[in-house]
Every structure is written in C-alpha cells, then in structure tokens.
Amino acid sequence: MAQADHPPNGAAEASVVFDLVLAGDRVLVDGAFAPAEVAVRDGRIARVAGPGAAFRAAHRVRLTDDEVLIPGLVDTHVHVNEPGRTDWEGFETATRAAAAGGVTTIVDMPLNSIPSTTSVAALAVKRVRATGRVFVDVGFWGGIVPGNEAELVPLAEAGVFGFKCFLVDSGVPEFPPVPAEAMERAMAVLAGAHPDSLVIVHAEDAAVIDAAPHPHSRDYADFLASRPDAAEATAITAVIDAARRTGARAHLLHLSSAASLDAIARARADGVRLTVETCPHYLALTAEEVPAGAAAFKCCPPIRGAANRDALWGALEAGVIDTVVSDHSPAPAAVKFAGDGDFAVAWGGIASLQLGLPVVWTEARRRGIRLERVVEWMSGAPARLVGLAGKGAIAEGADADLAILAPDEAFTVDAATLQQRHPITPYDGRELVGAVRATYLAGREVDGSVARGRLLRAARSEGGPGDVA
C-alpha cells in the first residue's frame, strides 16, 4: 500500500502550500503513465509536475512500485433504488461500493426507486434522501414515461443529466415503457429546448420479445432465446431513426448484441448524434459458461456468446462503443433468486459496481489492451458524455478524484466482502487482477465512515456541474 508521511510540526507546518501531494512512478496524465507529482488544494488538482518537484504539503503519499495513480472512474449507469427500494441497495451502500472500486462519480438511474425520477417533485425527494448519505459524487437521470412530457424541460432545468426511457417492460410498474413514437416526441422536445440533453434508451423491442419463447426453465439457453439479438436490432433502428429526424442526442444503454454494430457505425458516420455504452458483464462473461439455474448471471439484455463478446471488444477498440459502465442493478436474494433458478422468474440485474474495473482490466490485459485505454472507457469518456468537465482526468484544475490501483495484484472475489447491500454477484469465486487500494474524493481519502460526496447538477442548470443540489 502507498506509504504516507507527515511533516513535523512547527516551521515545516508554517510553510505548507498544498493540502495533499501524491507522487509515483506511474501516474496517468494525458493518456500515458509517467513519473509525476500531483498537488491538491481545496479539493482540486492545483499542479501536476514531473518527479522532484518537491511540493510542500500537509500530507504526502508516495505510491509503491506496484501501484499506479489514475483518475477516479465515472459510472453513469447505477441503480441506487432509494427511496422506495432501499432494501435493494441505497445511497450509503452503493456509494461505499463505488469508492471501494475506484469510482468517484455515479449517475443514478430514475427507476427502481419509488417515486421514479419522472418529475421535479420526485427529483427533490431523491435529493433529500441522498443528502448526507453519499461517499462519492452523485448525479441523477430523469425519466421518460407515458404522460410526463410536460416534466421534461423542467427536469432538465433542475439539473438532471438526461432522460431514460424503455421500449420494453422495465420490470417495475412505476416506470412503464413508451412506444417509439413517444420516445421521438420526447427527443424533439428536448432537442428544441436543451439540444445537448441526452435521451438514453433501453433498446429492446417489445413486439420481438413478446413473440419469442418464454419457457419456465433453469437452462440459460432458453432465457437467451427469450431476448434475441433481433429485439436489440429492431429497437436500435428505431432510436437511430428518431435521433436522425429530431437531431437529438441519443445514447444506447448496455449494448449486449454485436448484431447492430454496423448500423451504429453507419449512423454515426452519417452525423447522427449517437453514443453507445456496454458493461463489464458483456465483456467478461459468456452464455456458454452460465451454469443451470445461476440467476446471478441474469440481466436484460442478456449475456450472449463468446463470439459476440469478441465483437464487442473489437467495437470498443474501434471507437464504435464509447463507454463501459456497470449497470449495477442489485436486488435481495428473495427477488434475485425467485423461482429457484428459473430464469423466467428471477430478477434481471447484475451487481458489480465495486468490481467493474478489475473485471474489465482482467479481460483487457488478456487481450493485450493497455490499462490507459480501460481507464479512458471507464473515466474520461463517461465524464465527457454527461458534461462533467472537472472529472475523468488528472489535470490541473480538475477535481482531485483519484484512485490508487495495483494493476498486477490478483485476488479472488468473495461476494460476502463487497460493500454493496446484498452479497450476490456472478463474479463470486472468480480470480481477477487489479486491486484498488485507495480512493480520493476532492483530495480526501474515502474511508467509508464520513459521507463527503456532493450532489451534482448538469452544466445547463443554473448552478453547473459539481454544485450541491
């Protein structure tokens, strides 16, 4: 672990300039690892310099030879579930898990909480519940549901980072899906009022899924057949067409199917304002390895085959997929394992907020992909996606949100030791590499006891990113 030292009292204290200095031989600056010292004042990175800068500080941390310093990760797809389903997760446990995994900013999804974030009043309720309970910085998505079109512009002006909709049943009654026509109307409203606002879409087509077989079964192949590639392809076409016609910014959530990669690439080449994310489970897991009745692996859209996984990695490297985020969607055991391994009954969501970085890095390293690229996909790119200019980089003026990572340290996942509320994960017992040894938020180490996280507003709102809601 990095070694800390403190200057003696007296004259040395009187000469203190910076609050914190972190120094190491591998610090990620401008896309490359190099020796550097990072000086922090008032929660921001004040100076970045080469070794030997000898900055004076109240507190110094020297990284050990096996450690690297990276910007804190930005996870724009997290289901916190509070209020209403706090027994599923909650702000305290979710943000502790985030910090333990090197994540310093999350953006909370509008559903699974009650009320869902589909009105300004509901957003206010969520902010009240989050105040004083978050260990990392937290922003919020709004939602698009039938009948709330008049709430979209007020929610945008209240600081949400964009708007989520489903084109298929969401799994919870408080957040019903919308038809493609309603999604397009919402895009048009937002493109006119707030052109940079994002419409983020769970892109699976309800008609295709309804027509697929849905047997009660412990066989994962049966579940996979119930959520075919065609469901994603049909819905993605609808999103692309609506974004093309309205000029809105559209974002495809949790892409699992490689079948639409060519269509996505063509749309982007045509100037459609389209971005795409995928998730650690689609990059690390395969349908072939899911045991019978192993509901911890169930998510929607589903984990697909090994060849599909390889194609997703290729799309990441080619820039067709922009970001990697967790889609952390936990549930209690009684819900997650409902039906005793019947995939048709079990809750569809994977809890992996704390493990995202080592999961992706383990697979990336196996493929010869550099850590610098992984950090870009999980930190810099998602920060840019939602307009958080002070996040996602070790640079002067940026927030001092940092993580110390031992990229070669191997460990075996023990679900019982994770900070999330329920010890359920498909990675239990899996060997990974890349241990997060410390996380800093605004220049202070997150210890899990004092909740110093801020509630963030999108830049178009009155306050601006980083302001307390």
Side-chain angles (χ1 to χ4, degrees):
M1 174 64 190
Q3 300 298 308
D5 57 88
H6 302 268
N9 293 327
E13 287 288 347
S15 66
V16 165
V17 175
F18 298 107
D19 303 321
L20 169 70
V21 169
L22 298 104
D25 293 332
R26 291 183 290 170
V27 178
L28 186 55
V29 180
D30 294 330
F33 284 106
E37 294 192 11
V38 179
V40 176
R41 183 192 294 121
D42 297 330
R44 293 186 179 273
I45 297 172
R47 293 285 305 278
V48 180
F55 294 130
R56 297 190 303 274
H59 184 59
R60 292 185 62 88
V61 173
R62 172 70 196 182
L63 273 64
T64 57
D65 291 344
D66 66 334
E67 294 175 338
V68 302
L69 186 67
I70 61 174
L73 305 189
V74 178
D75 192 335
T76 56
H77 194 149
V78 178
H79 294 270
V80 174
N81 304 338
E82 185 174 5
R85 291 190 176 91
T86 308
D87 59 321
W88 289 29
E89 186 60 278
F91 285 107
E92 292 185 24
T93 52
T95 56
R96 282 194 184 99
V103 178
T104 51
T105 301
I106 66 170
V107 186
D108 174 49
M109 283 292 164
L111 73 156
N112 295 357
S113 57
I114 304 173
S116 299
T117 315
T118 55
S119 68
V120 173
L123 175 63
V125 170
K126 183 167 281 194
R127 283 174 167 160
V128 167
R129 288 297 292 266
T131 299
R133 292 185 171 94
V134 297
F135 292 87
V136 302
D137 288 351
V138 178
F140 302 97
W141 295 108
I144 299 168
V145 294
N148 85 321
E149 191 172 298
E151 290 281 355
L152 302 183
V153 172
L155 272 166
E157 292 171 352
V160 298
F161 284 85
F163 298 87
K164 181 176 187 176
C165 65
F166 277 75
L167 299 180
V168 68
D169 179 35
S170 72
V172 293
E174 315 84 38
F175 203 93
V178 294
E181 306 79 47
M183 174 187 68
E184 184 167 342
R185 288 196 301 272
M187 284 186 180
V189 168
L190 291 165
H194 294 284
D196 288 332
S197 188
L198 277 164
V199 175
I200 64 175
V201 186
H202 182 121
E204 290 183 285
D205 184 80
V208 173
I209 288 178
D210 288 346
H214 291 271
H216 288 279
S217 174
R218 290 171 52 86
D219 187 340
Y220 186 77
D222 289 332
F223 170 66
L224 185 59
S226 75
R227 316 287 294 211
D229 292 271
E232 280 191 84
T234 301
I236 286 169
T237 297
V239 174
I240 290 170
D241 290 347
R244 190 190 306 274
R245 286 190 289 263
T246 62
R249 287 182 72 201
H251 180 73
L252 296 174
L253 297 167
H254 45 48
L255 182 72
S256 83
S257 172
S260 292
L261 290 171
D262 288 345
I264 290 166
R266 287 193 301 269
R268 289 158 64 115
D270 289 344
V272 176
R273 302 173 74 197
L274 182 68
T275 49
V276 185
E277 71 183 37
T278 193
C279 305
H281 38 281
Y282 302 130
L283 297 171
L285 305 176
T286 64
E288 294 88 345
E289 70 184 279
V290 178
F297 289 78
K298 180 183 175 180
C299 57
C300 300
I303 295 160
R304 303 188 188 275
N308 181 89
R309 177 186 63 177
D310 292 344
L312 293 179
W313 275 103
L316 262 174
E317 292 191 86
V320 178
I321 298 174
D322 303 277
T323 65
V324 180
V325 293
S326 69
D327 189 9
H328 179 70
S329 186
V335 178
K336 184 60 180 168
F337 299 129
D340 191 26
D342 183 345
F343 284 102
V345 178
W347 174 258
I350 286 180
S352 64
L353 181 55
Q354 184 172 337
L355 297 173
L357 178 56
V359 166
V360 177
W361 169 231
T362 299
E363 184 65 20
R365 190 169 79 157
R366 187 178 73 82
R367 294 170 180 269
I369 298 170
R370 301 191 319 273
L371 179 59
E372 296 94 312
R373 298 205 72 186
V374 171
V375 176
E376 167 62 15
W377 294 327
M378 302 185 77
S379 182
R384 290 192 301 275
L385 176 75
V386 296
L388 288 172
K391 307 287 189 184
I394 298 176
E396 293 181 3
D399 291 350
D401 297 347
L402 305 161
I404 296 175
L405 175 72
D408 300 320
E409 181 179 336
F411 66 98
T412 301
V413 176
D414 178 358
T417 67
L418 298 178
Q419 296 293 313
Q420 64 196 48
R421 187 174 296 276
H422 299 287
I424 302 169
T425 175
Y427 304 109
D428 192 27
R430 196 179 187 97
E431 184 170 291
L432 301 175
V433 293
V436 175
R437 292 184 177 170
T439 300
Y440 291 81
L441 182 72
R444 302 180 74 172
E445 187 172 357
V446 182
D447 63 4
S449 62
V450 181
R452 298 190 181 95
R454 298 171 297 174
L455 307 186
L456 307 178
R457 297 176 183 265
R460 65 183 168 274
S461 64
E462 183 178 345
D467 284 356
V468 174

